[in-house]
């Protein structure tokens, strides 16, 4: 496994762990990410990181 793959796997692992404590990272913890139809905290974080990829 090369270095970039290791870094990516570590980052995704951290985001997954952050999802368990998303309320620490939101402005309105009781309402943010509470509906089933909205994106989860983990999906939003991954989306924001890949937005700047210019693929």
């Amino acid at each position: 496994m090369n270095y970039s793959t290791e870094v990516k796997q570590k980052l995704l692992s951290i985001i997954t762990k952050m999802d368990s404590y998303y309320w620490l990272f939101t402005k309105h913890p009781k309402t943010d990410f509470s509906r089933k139809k909205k994106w989860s905290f983990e999906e939003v974080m991954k989306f924001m990181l890949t937005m700047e990829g210019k693929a």
Side-chain angles (χ1 to χ4, degrees):
M1 190 179 320
N2 62 19
Y3 182 71
S4 61
T5 305
E6 289 180 37
V7 170
K8 181 179 177 183
Q9 290 302 318
K10 184 66 174 174
L11 178 62
L12 293 177
S13 171
I14 291 169
I15 291 172
T16 301
K17 289 177 186 176
M18 286 174 65
D19 191 38
S20 300
Y21 304 100
Y22 72 88
W23 47 272
L24 291 172
F25 310 103
T26 58
K27 192 169 187 176
H28 303 101
K30 292 187 179 187
T31 57
D32 292 346
F33 302 104
S34 61
R35 290 179 56 202
K36 296 274 185 194
K37 293 184 180 181
K38 289 185 178 182
W39 286 11
S40 69
F41 176 80
E42 183 176 359
E43 291 170 327
V44 171
M45 293 300 294
K46 289 178 182 177
F47 176 74
M48 289 189 328
L49 288 172
T50 59
M51 250 174 86
E52 294 292 325
K54 298 181 184 177

